[in-house]
Amino acid sequence: MSPISVQQDQALRTARFLLDLGHPIEDVLSNQLIPSEFRVWVAERLEDESNKTFERARVISSTEESQDWLVSVDRSEWYYWPTLRSYLLGIKGWSKDTVLSLDDASDRILRELKPPSTTEFDIRGLVLGYVQSGKTANFTAVIAKAADAGYRLVVVFSGIDNGLRRQTQIRLNKELTGYPSNPRGAVRMPPVGRQWHQFTTDELSGDFDAGRANHAALQGSQPVLIVVKKNGAVLRRLQAWFASAPANVRSSLPALFIDDEADQASVDTRGSYQTQAAFNADNPDYEPPAVINGLIRSLVSMFSRRAYVAYTATPFANILIPHDAYDNIAGADLYPKDFFIDLPKPDGYFGTEEFFGRIDSSGNRSLSGIDVLRVISQEDVVSLVNDNILTENIDEAICSFVLGGAARAYRGNGESPSTMLVHTSQRIADQTPTKKLIEDRFRELKDSWRYDRNGGIRARLASLWNEDFVPTSAGILSGNSQSFSDIEPFIGPFMEAVVVREINSETGDVLDFEREPSLKAIAVGGNRLARGLTLEGLLVSVFARRSPQYDTLLQMARWYGYRSGYEDLTRIYTTRELAGWFTDLALVEYRLRQDMQVYEQIPGLKPIDLGMRILQHPAMQVTSPLKRRTASSSIISQSYSLQLEQTFKFPLQDEERLSVLCEENRQATMVFLSRLGRSNGQTKFGPVWGDVSAAEIVAFIRSFAIDFDVSGFSPELIAAWIERQNIEGDLVSWTVAVRGRDDEDENLGRANWLPDGEPNVWNVSRTRIKGTNSLGVITTPGDESIGLTEAEILDMESRIASGEHKDRNRAARFSRSSKKGLLLIYPISKNSGQDKDGLARAREPLYQNPESATARDLIGIALSFPKTKTDGPTEAYLEGSARWRPCL
């Protein structure tokens, strides 16, 4: 963003603020606060915003529409939400549609709470967001509206350490409670009679202490805000203080409990699973709840008018909480019995899909991520962590941080914070030497730029900028990029400002963006950087900590969030395995939200009666064993009917393992095709065998070697499903086709596993998605039409012409007889992608060195299934005590 763009942005913020105060658009545009040279531009932006629509939150609720208590609420006397709304528009510069979306989503949550005047209520719900997507903004809005509506006590459970608790306290103070000094960048202190009572502060040591609290505040008309960390000692102090308050206060005070990062510490990992009706504390196997879980449940249960709202972006553990668990001391568990709310993905948010893409092989759908992923090998990680050696890739990451920071400064954001994350190990003993190594290397780079710029560093930075940043920015920003000469004047000042800090429990280093709003830092750490803590202006991440749990891995991805204006400067350096896992998690998140959409369409369905399901992964765990101890793994009745299953993931990071798999599959394919005899058909791509028995197909699938650590293809499940369809008379006759190239290419070579007498088949080229073990998809449009009869082809063409199907492959599945299946075999050349000129930036060659002793041609297979008469189980899911119910 250039200096002019910064001025334009300020003019737009001012215009939004004036409009929100009620000034007519004509007066706003003629106001002297809007520079004349920007008025046309501001008018155009305001018109664009007024025409935008926003996606609504998805809601699964016990509340009937006729019971909407918010309809009768008079909002004309509200103070906290209108103040926050003006702050977001005028100070933070949010667009009108973004604020409208927040207004709508927070209304939907508030609607699920009971009117604060209700004699007695117990509401428990879950709000699902995205990692670093604005959950704090949402619950700040909910708190503001709840206080306006009459809720008088708000307790926020925030994180498990002082840093996260303080971060939340600061945010709420700036946007909700204000400060007596009315500093710039914060809401003004509310007038007398509306000021908040607070018994926690924004100091690191400002957690709850009864010495700072006063019971009289609980009996007044002004709201009370308490922000505490999830710590046993703190929660016990708070519990004792509430217990010492007059009993009528606890019975009459409307209380709202917000649990931020609700999957962390809040979920019971120890207690016995007993229901209220059958509770028996004398049972020799009885275990009380885990400490934090028990204390939160007890605190909530102390009040007769209570609402507990859990917020998380990784709800896997919360979904698996037993829906009817009870303890005679702690009370009911924290299952969201009253509502689930799925917040929409905010405009401009970059999450798992945006960075890593999403692949759903069953539908032959592939969504590519933006080109910011850079691969580091596991050997590089070992060298850094164990051998204290800074490899070339890590050194490049540091240089990318320098270039990204300089480019941000050129674009007008030099005063904004810029950070780099280095997270390779949770062990503090590993972090200290890593920090020193990076600090020493950065000092060398800085000195080279200071005193020996032409000795190599300038040429190196210019090369990295021109070869990486320029094409990447051009691809993401549609051709908009800067030259190295543009950013060069900003490199030195940026390097001088950078500090290297080690963030863990044994150092005094912190990232305090309130006290250092322009902080430029390389942060080396582990658990302290793994959840909740926002790294402002995060540009470059070196991430190699291997966690096989969905929730832990997603939460450690601190690069998620809003990157508007510098998304093209973002870089993620990680291993192929982790990049592949993140791509798989994009599908897990997508399926979970799709299921919520299914539930939302079922009238009368109550959250206490339903259960969400979580797609399981062959190599990862949904959450920790203790959090899923009452869950059950099940095969859901979801059919392969009308699906495409294909092998598109291979252990490309382990060439020795891959070479063994390739040889096993070469032998299996040779044996299979030899059993079929001479082919009885031919396409321009290769031979075709018709009327092959299902038994032959099943035998081949079961013999096909898969690396279950990386592949989601399930030979046994597919084979078993085909056998079940055979009982109904479906999928009894198969077409088998070898799908090679339609023309010669000596560089790609020929398939070397065809039976004698069959014509040569040229290998196809299938490159891999950069940084992963995935080829995305191996099929091409039209492949699934192989083997169709003339009548079926006419039916397929008719479906396409009518607009019923745009995808030729999917149309072919609908047109094929239920009795027939299609098996496609792809010979994939080890030389794929070596012609770099034709390689997309988001792709890379199959092998870095196809001439190595372990490099092999791959064999990929794809199975196209028509619509069958019956369904059968295919995918493994994890479910809690409330089971998945796709229909009533």
Side-chain angles (χ1 to χ4, degrees), residues 54-59 101 104-105 108-109 341-344 600:
F54 59 86
E55 182 183 354
R56 291 182 175 272
R58 293 170 180 160
V59 181
S101 179
D104 179 75
R108 285 173 172 250
I109 297 167
I341 292 182
D342 175 22
L343 298 177
E600 188 182 31

mmCIF file of all heavy atoms in Angstrom, residues 54-59 101 104-105 108-109 341-344 600:
data_model
loop_
_atom_site.group_PDB
_atom_site.id
_atom_site.type_symbol
_atom_site.label_atom_id
_atom_site.label_comp_id
_atom_site.label_asym_id
_atom_site.label_seq_id
_atom_site.Cartn_x
_atom_site.Cartn_y
_atom_site.Cartn_z
ATOM 1 N N PHE A 54 -23.955 -10.271 2.673
ATOM 2 C CA PHE A 54 -23.095 -11.083 3.533
ATOM 3 C C PHE A 54 -23.757 -12.430 3.809
ATOM 4 O O PHE A 54 -24.980 -12.561 3.782
ATOM 5 C CB PHE A 54 -22.799 -10.357 4.851
ATOM 6 C CG PHE A 54 -24.018 -10.004 5.660
ATOM 7 C CD1 PHE A 54 -24.583 -10.917 6.545
ATOM 8 C CD2 PHE A 54 -24.611 -8.754 5.545
ATOM 9 C CE1 PHE A 54 -25.708 -10.601 7.283
ATOM 10 C CE2 PHE A 54 -25.732 -8.427 6.281
ATOM 11 C CZ PHE A 54 -26.280 -9.351 7.162
ATOM 12 N N GLU A 55 -22.909 -13.414 4.041
ATOM 13 C CA GLU A 55 -23.390 -14.753 4.349
ATOM 14 C C GLU A 55 -23.809 -14.815 5.806
ATOM 15 O O GLU A 55 -23.121 -14.313 6.689
ATOM 16 C CB GLU A 55 -22.286 -15.775 4.074
ATOM 17 C CG GLU A 55 -22.708 -17.211 4.308
ATOM 18 C CD GLU A 55 -21.558 -18.185 4.098
ATOM 19 O OE1 GLU A 55 -20.481 -17.738 3.668
ATOM 20 O OE2 GLU A 55 -21.746 -19.388 4.393
ATOM 21 N N ARG A 56 -24.927 -15.454 6.064
ATOM 22 C CA ARG A 56 -25.435 -15.560 7.435
ATOM 23 C C ARG A 56 -24.841 -16.779 8.145
ATOM 24 O O ARG A 56 -24.452 -17.759 7.508
ATOM 25 C CB ARG A 56 -26.963 -15.674 7.441
ATOM 26 C CG ARG A 56 -27.658 -14.390 7.008
ATOM 27 C CD ARG A 56 -29.176 -14.533 7.071
ATOM 28 N NE ARG A 56 -29.828 -13.276 6.774
ATOM 29 C CZ ARG A 56 -30.105 -12.341 7.684
ATOM 30 N NH1 ARG A 56 -29.784 -12.552 8.953
ATOM 31 N NH2 ARG A 56 -30.705 -11.221 7.344
ATOM 32 N N ALA A 57 -24.798 -16.687 9.456
ATOM 33 C CA ALA A 57 -24.324 -17.811 10.257
ATOM 34 C C ALA A 57 -25.338 -18.952 10.175
ATOM 35 O O ALA A 57 -26.542 -18.732 10.069
ATOM 36 C CB ALA A 57 -24.141 -17.372 11.703
ATOM 37 N N ARG A 58 -24.842 -20.178 10.228
ATOM 38 C CA ARG A 58 -25.721 -21.346 10.269
ATOM 39 C C ARG A 58 -26.065 -21.642 11.718
ATOM 40 O O ARG A 58 -25.200 -21.615 12.592
ATOM 41 C CB ARG A 58 -25.041 -22.555 9.633
ATOM 42 C CG ARG A 58 -24.815 -22.391 8.128
ATOM 43 C CD ARG A 58 -23.932 -23.491 7.574
ATOM 44 N NE ARG A 58 -23.716 -23.325 6.144
ATOM 45 C CZ ARG A 58 -22.723 -23.871 5.467
ATOM 46 N NH1 ARG A 58 -21.843 -24.620 6.101
ATOM 47 N NH2 ARG A 58 -22.603 -23.680 4.174
ATOM 48 N N VAL A 59 -27.318 -21.959 11.965
ATOM 49 C CA VAL A 59 -27.792 -22.124 13.338
ATOM 50 C C VAL A 59 -28.557 -23.431 13.469
ATOM 51 O O VAL A 59 -29.466 -23.714 12.684
ATOM 52 C CB VAL A 59 -28.699 -20.952 13.768
ATOM 53 C CG1 VAL A 59 -29.163 -21.144 15.207
ATOM 54 C CG2 VAL A 59 -27.985 -19.624 13.610
ATOM 55 N N SER A 101 -22.375 -7.999 8.966
ATOM 56 C CA SER A 101 -22.242 -9.437 9.186
ATOM 57 C C SER A 101 -22.044 -9.735 10.669
ATOM 58 O O SER A 101 -22.654 -10.667 11.216
ATOM 59 C CB SER A 101 -21.066 -9.982 8.371
ATOM 60 O OG SER A 101 -20.892 -11.361 8.588
ATOM 61 N N ASP A 104 -25.341 -9.189 12.520
ATOM 62 C CA ASP A 104 -26.279 -10.288 12.303
ATOM 63 C C ASP A 104 -25.865 -11.539 13.079
ATOM 64 O O ASP A 104 -26.695 -12.176 13.744
ATOM 65 C CB ASP A 104 -26.354 -10.606 10.811
ATOM 66 C CG ASP A 104 -27.299 -11.746 10.504
ATOM 67 O OD1 ASP A 104 -28.526 -11.536 10.544
ATOM 68 O OD2 ASP A 104 -26.808 -12.870 10.233
ATOM 69 N N ALA A 105 -24.565 -11.901 13.004
ATOM 70 C CA ALA A 105 -24.100 -13.118 13.684
ATOM 71 C C ALA A 105 -24.251 -12.997 15.198
ATOM 72 O O ALA A 105 -24.684 -13.948 15.868
ATOM 73 C CB ALA A 105 -22.645 -13.393 13.317
ATOM 74 N N ARG A 108 -27.795 -13.430 16.235
ATOM 75 C CA ARG A 108 -28.218 -14.831 16.201
ATOM 76 C C ARG A 108 -27.773 -15.576 17.462
ATOM 77 O O ARG A 108 -28.473 -16.469 17.941
ATOM 78 C CB ARG A 108 -27.663 -15.511 14.941
ATOM 79 C CG ARG A 108 -28.405 -15.098 13.690
ATOM 80 C CD ARG A 108 -27.784 -15.628 12.410
ATOM 81 N NE ARG A 108 -28.680 -15.320 11.300
ATOM 82 C CZ ARG A 108 -29.394 -16.228 10.633
ATOM 83 N NH1 ARG A 108 -29.309 -17.502 10.945
ATOM 84 N NH2 ARG A 108 -30.193 -15.865 9.648
ATOM 85 N N ILE A 109 -26.619 -15.218 17.977
ATOM 86 C CA ILE A 109 -26.164 -15.846 19.218
ATOM 87 C C ILE A 109 -26.963 -15.322 20.400
ATOM 88 O O ILE A 109 -27.425 -16.097 21.252
ATOM 89 C CB ILE A 109 -24.655 -15.588 19.419
ATOM 90 C CG1 ILE A 109 -23.865 -16.247 18.295
ATOM 91 C CG2 ILE A 109 -24.195 -16.107 20.782
ATOM 92 C CD1 ILE A 109 -22.419 -15.819 18.214
ATOM 93 N N ILE A 341 -23.702 -22.858 16.441
ATOM 94 C CA ILE A 341 -23.695 -21.775 15.462
ATOM 95 C C ILE A 341 -22.368 -21.794 14.712
ATOM 96 O O ILE A 341 -21.298 -21.797 15.322
ATOM 97 C CB ILE A 341 -23.925 -20.405 16.129
ATOM 98 C CG1 ILE A 341 -25.357 -20.334 16.665
ATOM 99 C CG2 ILE A 341 -23.657 -19.264 15.147
ATOM 100 C CD1 ILE A 341 -25.720 -19.024 17.312
ATOM 101 N N ASP A 342 -22.466 -21.840 13.395
ATOM 102 C CA ASP A 342 -21.291 -21.860 12.521
ATOM 103 C C ASP A 342 -21.153 -20.478 11.900
ATOM 104 O O ASP A 342 -21.963 -20.073 11.070
ATOM 105 C CB ASP A 342 -21.471 -22.931 11.447
ATOM 106 C CG ASP A 342 -20.356 -22.937 10.422
ATOM 107 O OD1 ASP A 342 -19.264 -22.432 10.743
ATOM 108 O OD2 ASP A 342 -20.576 -23.434 9.300
ATOM 109 N N LEU A 343 -20.136 -19.732 12.315
ATOM 110 C CA LEU A 343 -19.928 -18.386 11.795
ATOM 111 C C LEU A 343 -19.460 -18.452 10.341
ATOM 112 O O LEU A 343 -18.662 -19.324 9.981
ATOM 113 C CB LEU A 343 -18.897 -17.625 12.626
ATOM 114 C CG LEU A 343 -19.249 -17.396 14.102
ATOM 115 C CD1 LEU A 343 -18.083 -16.691 14.799
ATOM 116 C CD2 LEU A 343 -20.527 -16.574 14.243
ATOM 117 N N PRO A 344 -19.915 -17.560 9.503
ATOM 118 C CA PRO A 344 -19.449 -17.560 8.101
ATOM 119 C C PRO A 344 -17.985 -17.180 8.007
ATOM 120 O O PRO A 344 -17.456 -16.465 8.870
ATOM 121 C CB PRO A 344 -20.341 -16.502 7.434
ATOM 122 C CG PRO A 344 -20.738 -15.584 8.552
ATOM 123 C CD PRO A 344 -20.847 -16.456 9.781
ATOM 124 N N GLU A 600 -29.197 -27.992 9.722
ATOM 125 C CA GLU A 600 -29.939 -26.735 9.773
ATOM 126 C C GLU A 600 -31.245 -26.838 8.996
ATOM 127 O O GLU A 600 -32.223 -26.148 9.303
ATOM 128 C CB GLU A 600 -29.079 -25.601 9.217
ATOM 129 C CG GLU A 600 -29.684 -24.220 9.409
ATOM 130 C CD GLU A 600 -28.821 -23.129 8.790
ATOM 131 O OE1 GLU A 600 -28.150 -23.402 7.786
ATOM 132 O OE2 GLU A 600 -28.831 -22.004 9.320
#
